[in-house]
Amino acid sequence: AHAVQSGARGAAGSMRDAPTLLDQIVAFSGGKLVGSEVATVLGIADRAALHDATEALLRGDGAAVLAAVDLLATRGLDLLHFARSVVELLRDLVVLRTSGEHTELVSLVDEERARAVALAKEVEPLEVQRAFHAASQLVDDMAKATLPRTVLEMGLVRIATRPPLRALADIVARLDAL
């Protein structure tokens, strides 16, 4: 199932491109579809790595986010596709939190859905929306950048390490009290 989803994502919804990509994947893997091999052929991050990096992003772990980007870059994976995938996963987290964990508005396999639901319950919805907005802007910035890896690294670290909204609200309340 992961292999088929990765192939569909790589074809970007184009039925014309999907058979060609599927042929490439089958040839590369010796006739057996394995999710990690599909990801390698398509030059994209596997889904577990995507979830790991997104969790690190939302938990404020800038070092883990940098390590994830380094690993992806070392493997020669498409960093812009990765950034877009982060945006899609952040969207899914918001939808899961808003519409419930069984919503059909999110198309994730069971294992991914369970992981996404757990993260959506852990992180404040406004924080996920805020990360979504910043990551969306980051994708646009990367598309225009001469150094997309650097833009990705700095953008993700900025998202991961900024003060939480609750802390900012406390600061504003203290200023008002003065």
Side-chain angles (χ1 to χ4, degrees), residues 62-93:
V65 169
L66 287 175
V69 171
D70 184 58
L71 181 62
L72 296 171
T74 301
R75 290 182 185 169
L77 300 179
D78 184 339
L79 296 179
L80 183 56
H81 184 276
F82 168 73
R84 287 182 180 131
S85 296
V86 169
V87 171
E88 289 173 4
L89 182 53
L90 291 168
R91 174 260 181 211
D92 289 348
L93 295 175

mmCIF file of all heavy atoms in Angstrom, residues 62-93:
data_model
loop_
_atom_site.group_PDB
_atom_site.id
_atom_site.type_symbol
_atom_site.label_atom_id
_atom_site.label_comp_id
_atom_site.label_asym_id
_atom_site.label_seq_id
_atom_site.Cartn_x
_atom_site.Cartn_y
_atom_site.Cartn_z
ATOM 1 N N GLY A 62 15.006 21.422 16.650
ATOM 2 C CA GLY A 62 15.715 21.918 15.478
ATOM 3 C C GLY A 62 16.868 21.024 15.050
ATOM 4 O O GLY A 62 17.116 20.844 13.852
ATOM 5 N N ALA A 63 17.579 20.434 16.005
ATOM 6 C CA ALA A 63 18.704 19.559 15.675
ATOM 7 C C ALA A 63 18.228 18.324 14.910
ATOM 8 O O ALA A 63 18.855 17.904 13.928
ATOM 9 C CB ALA A 63 19.436 19.146 16.951
ATOM 10 N N ALA A 64 17.111 17.738 15.328
ATOM 11 C CA ALA A 64 16.581 16.558 14.635
ATOM 12 C C ALA A 64 16.096 16.923 13.235
ATOM 13 O O ALA A 64 16.243 16.132 12.296
ATOM 14 C CB ALA A 64 15.454 15.928 15.449
ATOM 15 N N VAL A 65 15.547 18.107 13.074
ATOM 16 C CA VAL A 65 15.095 18.559 11.764
ATOM 17 C C VAL A 65 16.297 18.708 10.833
ATOM 18 O O VAL A 65 16.262 18.250 9.684
ATOM 19 C CB VAL A 65 14.314 19.888 11.876
ATOM 20 C CG1 VAL A 65 14.069 20.501 10.522
ATOM 21 C CG2 VAL A 65 12.992 19.660 12.601
ATOM 22 N N LEU A 66 17.379 19.308 11.322
ATOM 23 C CA LEU A 66 18.586 19.448 10.503
ATOM 24 C C LEU A 66 19.170 18.090 10.136
ATOM 25 O O LEU A 66 19.622 17.875 9.007
ATOM 26 C CB LEU A 66 19.634 20.283 11.232
ATOM 27 C CG LEU A 66 19.350 21.779 11.328
ATOM 28 C CD1 LEU A 66 20.402 22.465 12.189
ATOM 29 C CD2 LEU A 66 19.292 22.406 9.940
ATOM 30 N N ALA A 67 19.169 17.164 11.078
ATOM 31 C CA ALA A 67 19.682 15.820 10.812
ATOM 32 C C ALA A 67 18.843 15.131 9.734
ATOM 33 O O ALA A 67 19.384 14.443 8.858
ATOM 34 C CB ALA A 67 19.701 14.995 12.092
ATOM 35 N N ALA A 68 17.537 15.322 9.777
ATOM 36 C CA ALA A 68 16.655 14.720 8.774
ATOM 37 C C ALA A 68 16.937 15.283 7.389
ATOM 38 O O ALA A 68 17.030 14.534 6.411
ATOM 39 C CB ALA A 68 15.192 14.948 9.157
ATOM 40 N N VAL A 69 17.092 16.598 7.292
ATOM 41 C CA VAL A 69 17.392 17.214 6.002
ATOM 42 C C VAL A 69 18.743 16.726 5.490
ATOM 43 O O VAL A 69 18.890 16.407 4.302
ATOM 44 C CB VAL A 69 17.363 18.755 6.099
ATOM 45 C CG1 VAL A 69 17.884 19.393 4.811
ATOM 46 C CG2 VAL A 69 15.957 19.241 6.406
ATOM 47 N N ASP A 70 19.725 16.621 6.372
ATOM 48 C CA ASP A 70 21.043 16.139 5.963
ATOM 49 C C ASP A 70 20.960 14.718 5.417
ATOM 50 O O ASP A 70 21.557 14.392 4.390
ATOM 51 C CB ASP A 70 22.026 16.202 7.132
ATOM 52 C CG ASP A 70 23.422 15.794 6.709
ATOM 53 O OD1 ASP A 70 23.986 16.437 5.789
ATOM 54 O OD2 ASP A 70 23.960 14.811 7.271
ATOM 55 N N LEU A 71 20.215 13.862 6.102
ATOM 56 C CA LEU A 71 20.054 12.478 5.653
ATOM 57 C C LEU A 71 19.394 12.425 4.281
ATOM 58 O O LEU A 71 19.825 11.690 3.390
ATOM 59 C CB LEU A 71 19.238 11.684 6.670
ATOM 60 C CG LEU A 71 18.997 10.211 6.353
ATOM 61 C CD1 LEU A 71 20.312 9.450 6.285
ATOM 62 C CD2 LEU A 71 18.080 9.593 7.390
ATOM 63 N N LEU A 72 18.360 13.220 4.093
ATOM 64 C CA LEU A 72 17.669 13.250 2.806
ATOM 65 C C LEU A 72 18.596 13.757 1.700
ATOM 66 O O LEU A 72 18.639 13.190 0.604
ATOM 67 C CB LEU A 72 16.432 14.142 2.891
ATOM 68 C CG LEU A 72 15.334 13.683 3.840
ATOM 69 C CD1 LEU A 72 14.283 14.769 3.977
ATOM 70 C CD2 LEU A 72 14.723 12.385 3.375
ATOM 71 N N ALA A 73 19.327 14.819 1.989
ATOM 72 C CA ALA A 73 20.234 15.392 0.991
ATOM 73 C C ALA A 73 21.359 14.406 0.654
ATOM 74 O O ALA A 73 21.743 14.271 -0.511
ATOM 75 C CB ALA A 73 20.808 16.710 1.500
ATOM 76 N N THR A 74 21.862 13.709 1.668
ATOM 77 C CA THR A 74 22.925 12.729 1.450
ATOM 78 C C THR A 74 22.444 11.601 0.543
ATOM 79 O O THR A 74 23.202 11.085 -0.275
ATOM 80 C CB THR A 74 23.403 12.143 2.798
ATOM 81 O OG1 THR A 74 23.883 13.224 3.602
ATOM 82 C CG2 THR A 74 24.507 11.131 2.614
ATOM 83 N N ARG A 75 21.191 11.235 0.675
ATOM 84 C CA ARG A 75 20.609 10.180 -0.176
ATOM 85 C C ARG A 75 20.253 10.706 -1.563
ATOM 86 O O ARG A 75 19.814 9.949 -2.428
ATOM 87 C CB ARG A 75 19.341 9.618 0.468
ATOM 88 C CG ARG A 75 19.592 8.810 1.706
ATOM 89 C CD ARG A 75 18.275 8.274 2.221
ATOM 90 N NE ARG A 75 18.399 7.581 3.476
ATOM 91 C CZ ARG A 75 17.377 7.201 4.224
ATOM 92 N NH1 ARG A 75 16.144 7.455 3.840
ATOM 93 N NH2 ARG A 75 17.574 6.571 5.342
ATOM 94 N N GLY A 76 20.385 12.003 -1.777
ATOM 95 C CA GLY A 76 20.074 12.587 -3.075
ATOM 96 C C GLY A 76 18.590 12.729 -3.346
ATOM 97 O O GLY A 76 18.152 12.790 -4.491
ATOM 98 N N LEU A 77 17.807 12.807 -2.280
ATOM 99 C CA LEU A 77 16.362 12.899 -2.451
ATOM 100 C C LEU A 77 15.932 14.329 -2.764
ATOM 101 O O LEU A 77 16.638 15.290 -2.478
ATOM 102 C CB LEU A 77 15.665 12.375 -1.202
ATOM 103 C CG LEU A 77 15.992 10.912 -0.866
ATOM 104 C CD1 LEU A 77 15.286 10.480 0.395
ATOM 105 C CD2 LEU A 77 15.635 9.988 -2.020
ATOM 106 N N ASP A 78 14.779 14.452 -3.341
ATOM 107 C CA ASP A 78 14.225 15.734 -3.777
ATOM 108 C C ASP A 78 13.730 16.527 -2.568
ATOM 109 O O ASP A 78 12.687 16.205 -1.996
ATOM 110 C CB ASP A 78 13.088 15.460 -4.755
ATOM 111 C CG ASP A 78 12.486 16.716 -5.365
ATOM 112 O OD1 ASP A 78 12.638 17.814 -4.775
ATOM 113 O OD2 ASP A 78 11.842 16.599 -6.409
ATOM 114 N N LEU A 79 14.469 17.549 -2.198
ATOM 115 C CA LEU A 79 14.143 18.319 -0.996
ATOM 116 C C LEU A 79 12.888 19.170 -1.164
ATOM 117 O O LEU A 79 12.157 19.386 -0.200
ATOM 118 C CB LEU A 79 15.335 19.175 -0.575
ATOM 119 C CG LEU A 79 16.579 18.388 -0.146
ATOM 120 C CD1 LEU A 79 17.714 19.330 0.226
ATOM 121 C CD2 LEU A 79 16.268 17.443 1.001
ATOM 122 N N LEU A 80 12.629 19.647 -2.363
ATOM 123 C CA LEU A 80 11.405 20.415 -2.588
ATOM 124 C C LEU A 80 10.178 19.498 -2.440
ATOM 125 O O LEU A 80 9.181 19.888 -1.834
ATOM 126 C CB LEU A 80 11.419 21.081 -3.962
ATOM 127 C CG LEU A 80 10.218 21.974 -4.295
ATOM 128 C CD1 LEU A 80 10.027 23.071 -3.245
ATOM 129 C CD2 LEU A 80 10.373 22.582 -5.685
ATOM 130 N N HIS A 81 10.280 18.295 -2.946
ATOM 131 C CA HIS A 81 9.185 17.334 -2.768
ATOM 132 C C HIS A 81 8.991 17.034 -1.287
ATOM 133 O O HIS A 81 7.861 16.937 -0.811
ATOM 134 C CB HIS A 81 9.467 16.043 -3.537
ATOM 135 C CG HIS A 81 8.334 15.070 -3.465
ATOM 136 N ND1 HIS A 81 8.167 14.203 -2.422
ATOM 137 C CD2 HIS A 81 7.292 14.854 -4.310
ATOM 138 C CE1 HIS A 81 7.086 13.476 -2.621
ATOM 139 N NE2 HIS A 81 6.530 13.852 -3.755
ATOM 140 N N PHE A 82 10.074 16.901 -0.563
ATOM 141 C CA PHE A 82 9.999 16.669 0.877
ATOM 142 C C PHE A 82 9.272 17.827 1.560
ATOM 143 O O PHE A 82 8.380 17.611 2.381
ATOM 144 C CB PHE A 82 11.399 16.499 1.469
ATOM 145 C CG PHE A 82 11.420 16.551 2.964
ATOM 146 C CD1 PHE A 82 10.938 15.497 3.726
ATOM 147 C CD2 PHE A 82 11.922 17.671 3.623
ATOM 148 C CE1 PHE A 82 10.944 15.549 5.112
ATOM 149 C CE2 PHE A 82 11.938 17.728 5.002
ATOM 150 C CZ PHE A 82 11.448 16.660 5.752
ATOM 151 N N ALA A 83 9.638 19.052 1.226
ATOM 152 C CA ALA A 83 8.992 20.218 1.835
ATOM 153 C C ALA A 83 7.502 20.232 1.525
ATOM 154 O O ALA A 83 6.672 20.525 2.402
ATOM 155 C CB ALA A 83 9.660 21.509 1.348
ATOM 156 N N ARG A 84 7.143 19.896 0.296
ATOM 157 C CA ARG A 84 5.719 19.823 -0.058
ATOM 158 C C ARG A 84 5.011 18.730 0.745
ATOM 159 O O ARG A 84 3.859 18.898 1.161
ATOM 160 C CB ARG A 84 5.563 19.545 -1.545
ATOM 161 C CG ARG A 84 5.903 20.724 -2.422
ATOM 162 C CD ARG A 84 5.693 20.408 -3.886
ATOM 163 N NE ARG A 84 6.020 21.535 -4.712
ATOM 164 C CZ ARG A 84 6.806 21.473 -5.787
ATOM 165 N NH1 ARG A 84 7.327 20.321 -6.166
ATOM 166 N NH2 ARG A 84 7.052 22.559 -6.473
ATOM 167 N N SER A 85 5.705 17.625 0.959
ATOM 168 C CA SER A 85 5.125 16.520 1.736
ATOM 169 C C SER A 85 4.902 16.923 3.187
ATOM 170 O O SER A 85 3.921 16.513 3.815
ATOM 171 C CB SER A 85 6.019 15.285 1.656
ATOM 172 O OG SER A 85 6.084 14.817 0.324
ATOM 173 N N VAL A 86 5.808 17.740 3.735
ATOM 174 C CA VAL A 86 5.634 18.253 5.102
ATOM 175 C C VAL A 86 4.370 19.103 5.157
ATOM 176 O O VAL A 86 3.561 18.972 6.081
ATOM 177 C CB VAL A 86 6.870 19.049 5.572
ATOM 178 C CG1 VAL A 86 6.580 19.805 6.868
ATOM 179 C CG2 VAL A 86 8.072 18.127 5.750
ATOM 180 N N VAL A 87 4.187 19.964 4.163
ATOM 181 C CA VAL A 87 2.990 20.810 4.113
ATOM 182 C C VAL A 87 1.730 19.940 4.043
ATOM 183 O O VAL A 87 0.754 20.195 4.759
ATOM 184 C CB VAL A 87 3.048 21.791 2.913
ATOM 185 C CG1 VAL A 87 1.725 22.510 2.717
ATOM 186 C CG2 VAL A 87 4.182 22.794 3.112
ATOM 187 N N GLU A 88 1.756 18.913 3.208
ATOM 188 C CA GLU A 88 0.592 18.021 3.095
ATOM 189 C C GLU A 88 0.312 17.313 4.418
ATOM 190 O O GLU A 88 -0.848 17.172 4.817
ATOM 191 C CB GLU A 88 0.832 16.978 2.001
ATOM 192 C CG GLU A 88 0.811 17.549 0.607
ATOM 193 C CD GLU A 88 1.227 16.533 -0.443
ATOM 194 O OE1 GLU A 88 1.455 15.350 -0.106
ATOM 195 O OE2 GLU A 88 1.341 16.927 -1.607
ATOM 196 N N LEU A 89 1.366 16.864 5.102
ATOM 197 C CA LEU A 89 1.159 16.175 6.371
ATOM 198 C C LEU A 89 0.626 17.141 7.435
ATOM 199 O O LEU A 89 -0.255 16.780 8.219
ATOM 200 C CB LEU A 89 2.449 15.509 6.845
ATOM 201 C CG LEU A 89 2.361 14.708 8.143
ATOM 202 C CD1 LEU A 89 1.245 13.678 8.104
ATOM 203 C CD2 LEU A 89 3.704 14.047 8.443
ATOM 204 N N LEU A 90 1.123 18.367 7.454
ATOM 205 C CA LEU A 90 0.603 19.360 8.390
ATOM 206 C C LEU A 90 -0.880 19.624 8.106
ATOM 207 O O LEU A 90 -1.683 19.738 9.026
ATOM 208 C CB LEU A 90 1.419 20.654 8.318
ATOM 209 C CG LEU A 90 2.844 20.562 8.861
ATOM 210 C CD1 LEU A 90 3.645 21.798 8.484
ATOM 211 C CD2 LEU A 90 2.850 20.342 10.361
ATOM 212 N N ARG A 91 -1.236 19.685 6.850
ATOM 213 C CA ARG A 91 -2.649 19.837 6.470
ATOM 214 C C ARG A 91 -3.461 18.672 7.011
ATOM 215 O O ARG A 91 -4.537 18.848 7.579
ATOM 216 C CB ARG A 91 -2.756 19.917 4.953
ATOM 217 C CG ARG A 91 -4.191 19.942 4.413
ATOM 218 C CD ARG A 91 -4.596 18.564 3.926
ATOM 219 N NE ARG A 91 -5.949 18.572 3.386
ATOM 220 C CZ ARG A 91 -6.759 17.542 3.428
ATOM 221 N NH1 ARG A 91 -6.388 16.414 3.986
ATOM 222 N NH2 ARG A 91 -7.971 17.603 2.922
ATOM 223 N N ASP A 92 -2.934 17.460 6.834
ATOM 224 C CA ASP A 92 -3.641 16.277 7.316
ATOM 225 C C ASP A 92 -3.836 16.325 8.833
ATOM 226 O O ASP A 92 -4.887 15.927 9.343
ATOM 227 C CB ASP A 92 -2.895 15.004 6.921
ATOM 228 C CG ASP A 92 -2.978 14.698 5.433
ATOM 229 O OD1 ASP A 92 -3.797 15.332 4.724
ATOM 230 O OD2 ASP A 92 -2.223 13.821 4.967
ATOM 231 N N LEU A 93 -2.841 16.823 9.548
ATOM 232 C CA LEU A 93 -2.959 16.920 11.004
ATOM 233 C C LEU A 93 -4.084 17.868 11.402
ATOM 234 O O LEU A 93 -4.865 17.578 12.317
ATOM 235 C CB LEU A 93 -1.638 17.382 11.617
ATOM 236 C CG LEU A 93 -0.450 16.431 11.482
ATOM 237 C CD1 LEU A 93 0.807 17.087 12.023
ATOM 238 C CD2 LEU A 93 -0.718 15.106 12.163
#
